[in-house]
Amino acid sequence: MNEPPGSQISDAAWMRRALAEADAAEQHADVPIGCVIIDSGGELLAQGHNRREIDGDPTAHAEVVAIREAARRRGHWRLDGCTLYVTLEPCPMCAGAIVNSRIARVVYGAADPKAGALDSLYSLGSDARLNHRFTHQGMLLADDSVARLRAFFAKLRAEGQK
């Protein structure tokens, strides 16, 4: 997977990797959202999935987990030039973490009409009032992301949990 970042082939391949991370989240009863971060050369820097339930941490969203790992691996909090792939449009907390980590580009799967902070409800990635902006593209392999989320919540409802 060393194609240049931004190519359709590369984007789809990295999103499939994020979808695999989403599957890992479901293994421990977390909402199936996955994230992958690559550096400017197209190399995998970090990956993560939701860990709120298993860690008991409300901030353990897939993006935050991956950003923390990427910063640790880089040895610095700045993730300049990196691309973040995530299966669901980032929420305000995650979009804020993306701004603060200086990630250059975000590609997401499904839109999030209830909490989406890039297109659906807010436009944090392009807000000129913030100290950093990033480009983004949405709806890549969105049907695959939506299918995982629907199946997860249908199972919870069937078990009487939500």
Side-chain angles (χ1 to χ4, degrees), residues 18 26 37 51-54 59 66 71-72 74 77 79 90 92-93 95 106 130 137 139 144-145 150-151 157:
E26 191 169 5
I37 299 174
R51 298 187 53 89
R52 293 184 309 167
E53 298 296 331
I54 197 168
T59 68
R72 187 193 64 74
R74 262 214 174 154
W77 61 269
L79 300 177
M93 177 185 71
V106 173
L130 298 176
Q137 169 192 345
M139 306 306 289
D144 294 330
S145 297
R150 282 188 179 147
R157 283 190 296 277

Side-chain angles (χ1 to χ4, degrees), residues 94-103 124-125 130-134:
C94 293
I98 293 165
V99 167
N100 285 311
S101 63
R102 308 300 195 266
I103 286 173
L124 294 182
L130 298 176
N131 63 342
H132 174 73
R133 284 162 292 291
F134 53 87

Side-chain angles (χ1 to χ4, degrees), residues 5 37-46 74 80-83:
I37 299 174
I38 63 169
D39 66 18
S40 60
E43 295 293 324
L44 178 66
L45 190 56
R74 262 214 174 154
D80 298 309
C82 291
T83 299

Side-chain angles (χ1 to χ4, degrees), residues 1 3-19 21-22 33-39 42-44 46-49 62-63 66-67 82-90 98 103 105-109 137 140-141 145:
M1 283 201 245
E3 301 108 30
S7 72
Q8 287 298 329
I9 295 168
S10 178
D11 284 349
W14 288 116
M15 186 59 74
R16 281 191 287 280
R17 185 97 177 235
L19 288 163
E21 280 294 314
I33 300 171
C35 181
V36 172
I37 299 174
I38 63 169
D39 66 18
E43 295 293 324
L44 178 66
Q47 56 194 26
H49 55 268
E63 300 95 321
I67 288 169
C82 291
T83 299
L84 181 146
Y85 296 87
V86 64
T87 58
L88 184 67
E89 180 182 2
I98 293 165
I103 286 173
R105 180 171 175 256
V106 173
V107 179
Y108 67 85
Q137 169 192 345
L140 180 64
L141 302 179
S145 297

